[in-house]
């Protein structure tokens, strides 16, 4: 291979590397593109979150009263239990957040048959891949703590949402709210 061929090969290879570049973060879905943003019939009309919470949507005679702000959608109840918040880039559960997991353990013991989904979330900083891993570590730490409290591991599921729901370029106050594990109740199957 002569010098000209080597230079041409180098230029083509370099151009390919430059043109492919770094991968970008995926675009975040708008509320109307998410399951929570659509009506349950699938017509595409937006749901008013105030219309889906409350005891009116719980099964008749279930004896379950939802607290204000809780949403009963499908087989999930969101907002009944408080989220667990984390420090920046950390997955350790702070002592001040442990009572929330203790309350979850108590709630589960009083409502047999319900399971718990632990959704790990992150703020907007970091790559999508890193934040998925961090969200997974946060959910895993919460699961491990619940197990030490006596919750059956079969009653706990984990899911990392990473920074999918985070507000991009958020203020520190909002970013603090994005660093959490949501405690989502899963209704018993009949």
């Amino acid at each position: 291979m002569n010098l000209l061929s080597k230079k041409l090969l180098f230029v083509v290879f370099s151009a390919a590397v430059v043109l492919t570049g770094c991968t970008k973060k995926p675009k975040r879905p708008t509320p109307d593109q998410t399951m929570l943003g659509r009506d349950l019939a699938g017509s595409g009309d937006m749901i008013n979150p105030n219309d889906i919470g409350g005891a009116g949507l719980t099964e008749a005679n279930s004896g379950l009263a939802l607290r204000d702000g809780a949403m009963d959608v499908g087989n999930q109840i969101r907002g009944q239990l408080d989220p667990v918040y984390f420090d920046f880039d950390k997955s350790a559960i702070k002592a001040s957040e442990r009572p929330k997991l203790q309350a979850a353990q108590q709630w589960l013991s009083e409502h047999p048959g319900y399971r718990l989904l632990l959704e790990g979330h992150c703020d907007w900083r970091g790559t999508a891949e890193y934040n998925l891993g961090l969200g997974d570590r946060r959910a895993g730490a919460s699961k491990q703590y619940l197990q030490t409290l006596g919750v059956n591991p079969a009653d706990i599921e984990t899911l990392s949402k990473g920074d999918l729901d985070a507000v991009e370029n958020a203020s520190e106050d909002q970013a603090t709210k994005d660093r959490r594990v949501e405690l989502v109740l899963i209704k018993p199957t009949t």
Side-chain angles (χ1 to χ4, degrees):
M1 190 179 267
N2 65 24
L3 185 58
L4 182 60
S5 297
K6 288 181 181 179
K7 286 182 179 180
L8 182 60
L9 183 62
F10 177 75
V11 169
V12 169
F13 179 74
S14 298
V17 169
V18 169
L19 291 176
T20 57
C22 297
T23 58
K24 294 181 181 178
K25 278 188 173 181
K27 286 193 130 201
R28 298 180 192 283
T30 59
D32 65 327
Q33 295 170 324
T34 64
M35 287 303 292
L36 212 62
R38 295 193 182 276
D39 71 355
L40 299 177
S43 70
D45 296 334
M46 291 296 291
I47 294 175
N48 180 348
N50 297 323
D51 293 341
I52 46 182
L57 290 176
T58 59
E59 289 129 28
N61 301 322
S62 70
L64 177 65
L66 294 180
R67 73 179 200 182
D68 287 342
M71 297 187 319
D72 182 344
V73 180
N75 72 336
Q76 296 182 352
I77 300 173
R78 294 177 169 273
Q80 182 73 18
L81 301 170
D82 290 324
V84 176
Y85 293 101
F86 292 82
D87 288 332
F88 175 73
D89 201 26
K90 302 286 185 206
S91 59
I93 299 169
K94 299 185 284 189
S96 62
E97 296 297 303
R98 291 180 186 153
K100 295 175 181 180
L101 291 169
Q102 293 163 356
Q105 180 274 332
Q106 181 68 31
W107 198 97
L108 289 171
S109 70
E110 293 171 359
H111 299 88
Y114 281 82
R115 295 187 344 236
L116 191 60
L117 171 63
L118 304 171
E119 274 184 359
H121 295 262
C122 300
D123 63 26
W124 63 277
R125 294 174 277 196
T127 65
E129 294 82 12
Y130 181 82
N131 286 336
L132 279 172
L134 181 57
D136 187 55
R137 289 190 299 279
R138 288 174 174 167
S142 299
K143 179 178 181 176
Q144 185 176 11
Y145 186 77
L146 284 164
Q147 287 177 275
T148 65
L149 297 175
V151 177
N152 183 347
D155 292 338
I156 307 170
E157 296 179 33
T158 61
L159 171 70
S160 177
K161 295 196 92 178
D163 61 2
L164 187 62
D165 296 337
V167 176
E168 199 155 340
N169 298 318
S171 67
E172 183 55 33
D173 184 49
Q174 178 61 48
T176 299
K177 293 174 185 172
D178 287 339
R179 297 188 294 263
R180 70 191 186 281
V181 166
E182 288 286 341
L183 307 175
V184 181
L185 295 166
I186 301 173
K187 295 178 190 176
T189 55
T190 54

